[in-house]
mmCIF file of all heavy atoms in Angstrom:
data_model
loop_
_atom_site.group_PDB
_atom_site.id
_atom_site.type_symbol
_atom_site.label_atom_id
_atom_site.label_comp_id
_atom_site.label_asym_id
_atom_site.label_seq_id
_atom_site.Cartn_x
_atom_site.Cartn_y
_atom_site.Cartn_z
ATOM 1 N N PRO A 39 18.218 -33.931 17.452
ATOM 2 C CA PRO A 39 18.318 -35.150 16.634
ATOM 3 C C PRO A 39 19.117 -36.246 17.322
ATOM 4 O O PRO A 39 19.778 -36.025 18.343
ATOM 5 C CB PRO A 39 19.050 -34.647 15.398
ATOM 6 C CG PRO A 39 19.959 -33.581 15.939
ATOM 7 C CD PRO A 39 19.180 -32.908 17.046
ATOM 8 N N ARG A 47 23.993 -35.531 12.432
ATOM 9 C CA ARG A 47 22.606 -35.449 12.871
ATOM 10 C C ARG A 47 21.724 -36.360 12.026
ATOM 11 O O ARG A 47 21.847 -36.401 10.802
ATOM 12 C CB ARG A 47 22.092 -34.005 12.747
ATOM 13 C CG ARG A 47 22.707 -33.021 13.723
ATOM 14 C CD ARG A 47 22.196 -31.619 13.427
ATOM 15 N NE ARG A 47 22.553 -30.662 14.466
ATOM 16 C CZ ARG A 47 23.706 -29.993 14.521
ATOM 17 N NH1 ARG A 47 24.618 -30.213 13.576
ATOM 18 N NH2 ARG A 47 23.956 -29.140 15.491
ATOM 19 N N LYS A 78 3.471 -30.782 22.441
ATOM 20 C CA LYS A 78 2.930 -31.972 23.093
ATOM 21 C C LYS A 78 4.072 -32.877 23.537
ATOM 22 O O LYS A 78 5.106 -32.966 22.878
ATOM 23 C CB LYS A 78 2.024 -32.728 22.124
ATOM 24 C CG LYS A 78 0.814 -31.933 21.672
ATOM 25 C CD LYS A 78 0.019 -32.728 20.667
ATOM 26 C CE LYS A 78 -1.187 -31.941 20.183
ATOM 27 N NZ LYS A 78 -1.972 -32.683 19.182
ATOM 28 N N ASN A 91 -8.324 -17.910 22.181
ATOM 29 C CA ASN A 91 -8.230 -16.493 22.526
ATOM 30 C C ASN A 91 -7.349 -16.296 23.740
ATOM 31 O O ASN A 91 -7.370 -17.094 24.674
ATOM 32 C CB ASN A 91 -9.623 -15.924 22.806
ATOM 33 C CG ASN A 91 -10.457 -15.840 21.545
ATOM 34 O OD1 ASN A 91 -9.908 -15.746 20.448
ATOM 35 N ND2 ASN A 91 -11.763 -15.879 21.698
ATOM 36 N N ASP A 104 8.171 -5.534 17.858
ATOM 37 C CA ASP A 104 9.486 -5.016 18.263
ATOM 38 C C ASP A 104 10.490 -5.147 17.116
ATOM 39 O O ASP A 104 11.288 -4.230 16.865
ATOM 40 C CB ASP A 104 9.999 -5.768 19.495
ATOM 41 C CG ASP A 104 9.211 -5.433 20.758
ATOM 42 O OD1 ASP A 104 8.515 -4.396 20.762
ATOM 43 O OD2 ASP A 104 9.289 -6.212 21.727
ATOM 44 N N LEU A 137 8.245 -15.761 7.919
ATOM 45 C CA LEU A 137 8.747 -14.387 7.833
ATOM 46 C C LEU A 137 7.918 -13.552 6.859
ATOM 47 O O LEU A 137 7.653 -12.376 7.106
ATOM 48 C CB LEU A 137 10.211 -14.390 7.374
ATOM 49 C CG LEU A 137 11.232 -14.902 8.381
ATOM 50 C CD1 LEU A 137 12.628 -14.897 7.760
ATOM 51 C CD2 LEU A 137 11.228 -14.062 9.653
ATOM 52 N N TYR A 142 7.690 -9.578 6.871
ATOM 53 C CA TYR A 142 7.930 -8.750 5.692
ATOM 54 C C TYR A 142 6.720 -7.926 5.273
ATOM 55 O O TYR A 142 6.825 -6.696 5.118
ATOM 56 C CB TYR A 142 8.409 -9.614 4.524
ATOM 57 C CG TYR A 142 9.872 -9.957 4.609
ATOM 58 C CD1 TYR A 142 10.303 -11.267 4.829
ATOM 59 C CD2 TYR A 142 10.845 -8.969 4.476
ATOM 60 C CE1 TYR A 142 11.646 -11.575 4.906
ATOM 61 C CE2 TYR A 142 12.204 -9.273 4.554
ATOM 62 C CZ TYR A 142 12.590 -10.579 4.770
ATOM 63 O OH TYR A 142 13.918 -10.883 4.859
ATOM 64 N N LEU A 149 5.396 0.434 6.862
ATOM 65 C CA LEU A 149 6.382 1.474 6.584
ATOM 66 C C LEU A 149 5.801 2.529 5.645
ATOM 67 O O LEU A 149 6.093 3.721 5.789
ATOM 68 C CB LEU A 149 7.641 0.852 5.977
ATOM 69 C CG LEU A 149 8.804 1.813 5.701
ATOM 70 C CD1 LEU A 149 9.306 2.439 6.997
ATOM 71 C CD2 LEU A 149 9.942 1.079 4.990
ATOM 72 N N GLY A 155 3.497 11.364 3.939
ATOM 73 C CA GLY A 155 3.585 12.796 4.200
ATOM 74 C C GLY A 155 4.960 13.280 4.590
ATOM 75 O O GLY A 155 5.184 14.499 4.704
ATOM 76 N N ASP A 158 11.073 12.933 3.353
ATOM 77 C CA ASP A 158 12.152 11.999 3.002
ATOM 78 C C ASP A 158 11.625 10.631 2.591
ATOM 79 O O ASP A 158 12.382 9.667 2.495
ATOM 80 C CB ASP A 158 13.129 11.854 4.169
ATOM 81 C CG ASP A 158 12.450 11.303 5.429
ATOM 82 O OD1 ASP A 158 11.206 11.216 5.450
ATOM 83 O OD2 ASP A 158 13.171 10.988 6.399
ATOM 84 N N VAL A 160 10.499 9.259 -0.247
ATOM 85 C CA VAL A 160 11.077 8.681 -1.468
ATOM 86 C C VAL A 160 12.505 8.229 -1.225
ATOM 87 O O VAL A 160 12.923 7.155 -1.665
ATOM 88 C CB VAL A 160 11.027 9.704 -2.624
ATOM 89 C CG1 VAL A 160 11.769 9.175 -3.849
ATOM 90 C CG2 VAL A 160 9.575 10.016 -2.990
ATOM 91 N N ILE A 193 10.117 -12.721 -14.100
ATOM 92 C CA ILE A 193 9.848 -11.428 -14.728
ATOM 93 C C ILE A 193 8.768 -10.711 -13.933
ATOM 94 O O ILE A 193 7.658 -11.225 -13.776
ATOM 95 C CB ILE A 193 9.381 -11.589 -16.192
ATOM 96 C CG1 ILE A 193 10.414 -12.344 -17.021
ATOM 97 C CG2 ILE A 193 9.103 -10.225 -16.812
ATOM 98 C CD1 ILE A 193 9.979 -12.617 -18.453
ATOM 99 N N LEU A 205 10.406 -9.883 -2.941
ATOM 100 C CA LEU A 205 9.952 -10.922 -2.017
ATOM 101 C C LEU A 205 9.636 -12.220 -2.747
ATOM 102 O O LEU A 205 9.864 -13.309 -2.206
ATOM 103 C CB LEU A 205 8.735 -10.443 -1.226
ATOM 104 C CG LEU A 205 9.009 -9.374 -0.171
ATOM 105 C CD1 LEU A 205 7.785 -9.148 0.698
ATOM 106 C CD2 LEU A 205 10.200 -9.739 0.711
ATOM 107 N N LEU A 210 11.315 -17.808 -3.954
ATOM 108 C CA LEU A 210 11.846 -18.838 -4.848
ATOM 109 C C LEU A 210 13.197 -19.348 -4.340
ATOM 110 O O LEU A 210 13.477 -20.551 -4.377
ATOM 111 C CB LEU A 210 11.994 -18.284 -6.269
ATOM 112 C CG LEU A 210 10.686 -17.974 -7.016
ATOM 113 C CD1 LEU A 210 11.000 -17.378 -8.390
ATOM 114 C CD2 LEU A 210 9.823 -19.217 -7.161
ATOM 115 N N SER A 221 12.795 -6.987 -14.630
ATOM 116 C CA SER A 221 11.580 -6.190 -14.462
ATOM 117 C C SER A 221 11.264 -5.479 -15.765
ATOM 118 O O SER A 221 12.160 -4.940 -16.426
ATOM 119 C CB SER A 221 11.764 -5.173 -13.331
ATOM 120 O OG SER A 221 10.597 -4.406 -13.151
ATOM 121 N N ILE A 231 12.284 -9.244 -25.160
ATOM 122 C CA ILE A 231 13.281 -10.118 -24.538
ATOM 123 C C ILE A 231 13.110 -11.586 -24.914
ATOM 124 O O ILE A 231 13.952 -12.413 -24.574
ATOM 125 C CB ILE A 231 13.234 -9.990 -23.001
ATOM 126 C CG1 ILE A 231 11.869 -10.420 -22.455
ATOM 127 C CG2 ILE A 231 13.570 -8.586 -22.562
ATOM 128 C CD1 ILE A 231 11.800 -10.432 -20.943
ATOM 129 N N GLN A 237 15.960 -19.945 -20.999
ATOM 130 C CA GLN A 237 15.449 -20.625 -19.816
ATOM 131 C C GLN A 237 14.391 -21.661 -20.177
ATOM 132 O O GLN A 237 13.582 -21.443 -21.087
ATOM 133 C CB GLN A 237 14.831 -19.616 -18.839
ATOM 134 C CG GLN A 237 15.845 -18.852 -18.013
ATOM 135 C CD GLN A 237 16.452 -17.697 -18.774
ATOM 136 O OE1 GLN A 237 16.021 -17.384 -19.869
ATOM 137 N NE2 GLN A 237 17.457 -17.065 -18.211
ATOM 138 N N ARG A 239 12.211 -22.460 -17.960
ATOM 139 C CA ARG A 239 11.050 -22.130 -17.138
ATOM 140 C C ARG A 239 11.032 -20.638 -16.837
ATOM 141 O O ARG A 239 12.056 -20.053 -16.469
ATOM 142 C CB ARG A 239 11.125 -22.942 -15.844
ATOM 143 C CG ARG A 239 9.870 -23.049 -15.059
ATOM 144 C CD ARG A 239 10.030 -24.059 -13.946
ATOM 145 N NE ARG A 239 10.092 -25.419 -14.436
ATOM 146 C CZ ARG A 239 11.133 -26.217 -14.312
ATOM 147 N NH1 ARG A 239 12.224 -25.792 -13.700
ATOM 148 N NH2 ARG A 239 11.093 -27.451 -14.783
ATOM 149 N N ILE A 242 6.215 -15.404 -14.188
ATOM 150 C CA ILE A 242 5.827 -14.018 -14.411
ATOM 151 C C ILE A 242 4.996 -13.525 -13.235
ATOM 152 O O ILE A 242 4.042 -14.179 -12.814
ATOM 153 C CB ILE A 242 5.029 -13.858 -15.723
ATOM 154 C CG1 ILE A 242 5.917 -14.213 -16.915
ATOM 155 C CG2 ILE A 242 4.497 -12.438 -15.864
ATOM 156 C CD1 ILE A 242 5.231 -14.053 -18.262
ATOM 157 N N LYS A 245 0.881 -7.599 -12.609
ATOM 158 C CA LYS A 245 0.382 -6.516 -11.773
ATOM 159 C C LYS A 245 -1.111 -6.731 -11.517
ATOM 160 O O LYS A 245 -1.757 -7.533 -12.193
ATOM 161 C CB LYS A 245 0.641 -5.166 -12.431
ATOM 162 C CG LYS A 245 0.011 -4.978 -13.799
ATOM 163 C CD LYS A 245 0.429 -3.638 -14.373
ATOM 164 C CE LYS A 245 -0.189 -3.398 -15.740
ATOM 165 N NZ LYS A 245 0.214 -2.099 -16.301
ATOM 166 N N GLN A 247 -3.978 -4.979 -11.986
ATOM 167 C CA GLN A 247 -4.974 -4.658 -12.994
ATOM 168 C C GLN A 247 -4.301 -4.575 -14.358
ATOM 169 O O GLN A 247 -3.386 -3.777 -14.562
ATOM 170 C CB GLN A 247 -5.674 -3.342 -12.664
ATOM 171 C CG GLN A 247 -6.499 -3.409 -11.385
ATOM 172 C CD GLN A 247 -7.267 -2.127 -11.129
ATOM 173 O OE1 GLN A 247 -7.150 -1.163 -11.880
ATOM 174 N NE2 GLN A 247 -8.048 -2.119 -10.075
ATOM 175 N N LEU A 281 -6.933 -15.386 -18.633
ATOM 176 C CA LEU A 281 -6.287 -16.096 -19.732
ATOM 177 C C LEU A 281 -6.917 -17.464 -19.979
ATOM 178 O O LEU A 281 -6.622 -18.112 -20.989
ATOM 179 C CB LEU A 281 -4.796 -16.286 -19.436
ATOM 180 C CG LEU A 281 -3.937 -15.019 -19.359
ATOM 181 C CD1 LEU A 281 -2.532 -15.360 -18.892
ATOM 182 C CD2 LEU A 281 -3.895 -14.312 -20.700
ATOM 183 N N ALA A 298 11.501 -30.002 -5.010
ATOM 184 C CA ALA A 298 11.113 -30.642 -3.756
ATOM 185 C C ALA A 298 10.430 -29.608 -2.874
ATOM 186 O O ALA A 298 11.040 -28.623 -2.480
ATOM 187 C CB ALA A 298 12.347 -31.217 -3.048
ATOM 188 N N THR A 308 -1.313 -19.312 1.759
ATOM 189 C CA THR A 308 -1.949 -18.009 1.889
ATOM 190 C C THR A 308 -1.074 -16.971 1.227
ATOM 191 O O THR A 308 0.090 -16.832 1.572
ATOM 192 C CB THR A 308 -2.147 -17.646 3.374
ATOM 193 O OG1 THR A 308 -2.901 -18.675 3.990
ATOM 194 C CG2 THR A 308 -2.877 -16.322 3.506
ATOM 195 N N HIS A 315 -5.770 -20.324 -0.397
ATOM 196 C CA HIS A 315 -5.945 -21.272 -1.493
ATOM 197 C C HIS A 315 -5.843 -22.691 -0.964
ATOM 198 O O HIS A 315 -4.989 -23.007 -0.158
ATOM 199 C CB HIS A 315 -4.855 -21.070 -2.560
ATOM 200 C CG HIS A 315 -4.907 -19.711 -3.188
ATOM 201 N ND1 HIS A 315 -5.693 -19.429 -4.264
ATOM 202 C CD2 HIS A 315 -4.280 -18.544 -2.865
ATOM 203 C CE1 HIS A 315 -5.540 -18.157 -4.597
ATOM 204 N NE2 HIS A 315 -4.683 -17.613 -3.767
#
Side-chain angles (χ1 to χ4, degrees):
R47 291 176 170 86
K78 298 177 181 179
N91 291 335
D104 290 342
L137 289 178
Y142 280 113
L149 183 62
D158 61 350
V160 173
I193 302 176
L205 289 189
L210 291 178
S221 180
I231 62 175
Q237 282 81 7
R239 197 171 289 117
I242 296 181
K245 59 184 181 180
Q247 295 184 357
L281 295 173
T308 304
H315 298 273

